[in-house]
Amino acid sequence: MAVLALHVENLWSVVDDYARAVQQSYLEERALMAAATRDEQLTYLAELLGPAGRSPRNVQNIARALGVDADAAFTVVVADAAASHHAHRAAAQLSTLGEQLFVLNQPGRVVVMWPASRPGGQPDPQLRQLRGMAGGLVPDVAGLGAVPGAAATAFEICRTLRPDENELVTLAQAWTRVTKSQLDERHGFSDALLAGLGTVPEPEREVIVETVRAYLATGSLSASAERLYCHRNTVLNRLGRFQKLTGLDVTVPDQAAVALVALA
């Protein structure tokens, strides 16, 4: 007892060192387990988004590995690969709040998804963490098995984003651009329809296109004239010029829809 009393500071130092070592070992083990879990989840997520991940049995297995309900609603986001750091930082922050956010890096893009059902219609905290990210957004995906198709749609939206867009864009917002992109790649859609515009000088072409877009946005000669600071007859003449050059009469609904896509 006397020896212990004389060396009590050393004794407590040894005990503290041991306690810190045990705590550090525990934290390191937890970190290793968490990393292993993330790696396993990434493997299953990659399988889900691959060609073999859509059979009902595979989807159920993947759902169990991810810790989600296979029949739940999901939200899917696809962004450019440059947004990877933003997505992973958001996932780390949400993890501390007990919220799920799955992030998978793929060539040229990053895929983000999470279970979207919230009680009482509350907004998803994931959307707040992803604020400022430019990408395609597909909400309310019906089940984990539909996530690959939603990711493909989100990617098509992402491909059409403009450089000045720094937000998540839905198909409802970008359908004309997505449709135009698909038709242009497969059929040269816009070039064929708008070839006639290339026969007029650029200043005239810009005025005609601006007028057509104003009319397509308003559906009204008077509202278009007010927006463009000109007479309604001027708007009518320019729409007639557009029809002569392209064959599209934008006062006819089905032809207006074609023009809307071609000019997206």
Side-chain angles (χ1 to χ4, degrees):
M1 292 299 294
V3 172
L4 289 175
L6 288 171
H7 298 280
V8 66
E9 291 187 4
N10 291 339
L11 176 62
W12 282 118
S13 177
V14 170
V15 172
D16 287 344
D17 288 346
Y18 177 75
R20 280 194 296 269
V22 170
Q23 184 183 31
Q24 184 63 31
S25 296
Y26 169 73
L27 293 175
E28 289 176 356
E29 186 65 23
R30 283 195 61 183
L32 288 172
M33 291 174 64
T37 300
R38 284 194 300 270
D39 290 344
E40 182 181 9
Q41 288 180 339
L42 286 177
T43 299
Y44 279 101
L45 192 56
E47 182 179 346
L48 173 68
L49 295 171
R54 299 175 192 173
S55 73
R57 183 173 180 178
N58 277 357
V59 169
Q60 289 294 336
N61 290 337
I62 292 169
R64 281 193 293 270
L66 297 179
V68 299
D69 180 1
D71 298 322
F74 292 85
T75 297
V76 179
V77 169
V78 174
D80 187 80
S84 175
H85 179 69
H86 187 156
H88 282 284
R89 185 175 68 248
Q93 291 172 342
L94 287 163
S95 178
T96 64
L97 302 174
E99 298 285 350
Q100 292 176 305
L101 185 72
F102 301 102
V103 181
L104 179 67
N105 289 325
Q106 293 185 317
R109 68 179 187 174
V110 57
V111 181
V112 182
M113 57 160 275
W114 64 90
S117 51
R118 308 289 301 178
Q122 299 176 12
D124 292 348
Q126 290 87 346
L127 288 174
R128 290 195 298 270
Q129 291 292 340
L130 296 176
R131 189 177 293 125
M133 175 188 287
L137 168 67
V138 180
D140 302 321
V141 180
L144 192 63
V147 165
T153 300
F155 178 62
E156 291 302 324
I157 298 170
C158 183
R159 292 176 60 207
T160 68
L161 294 180
R162 297 186 297 267
D164 62 337
E165 289 181 298
N166 293 306
E167 60 184 357
L168 298 177
V169 177
T170 65
L171 187 59
Q173 296 168 310
W175 72 269
T176 53
R177 286 182 286 174
V178 171
T179 303
K180 173 186 172 72
S181 174
Q182 295 284 323
L183 291 174
D184 284 353
E185 287 183 1
R186 289 168 172 76
H187 309 292
F189 172 76
S190 301
D191 288 343
L193 277 175
L194 305 178
L197 289 174
T199 63
V200 299
E202 184 175 352
E204 181 185 359
R205 180 167 66 249
E206 289 178 354
V207 168
I208 292 172
V209 169
E210 181 186 25
T211 303
V212 172
R213 283 181 170 148
Y215 181 79
L216 291 172
T218 63
S220 164
L221 291 174
S222 298
S224 301
E226 184 177 347
R227 176 179 291 195
L228 298 169
Y229 304 104
C230 64
H231 195 275
R232 69 188 303 275
N233 287 343
T234 302
V235 173
L236 193 59
N237 290 336
R238 291 173 183 172
L239 296 185
R241 182 72 168 139
F242 181 79
Q243 180 181 1
K244 183 177 180 180
L245 293 168
T246 66
L248 294 172
D249 181 356
V250 294
T251 64
V252 177
D254 63 345
Q255 295 185 44
V258 174
L260 192 66
V261 171
L263 293 173

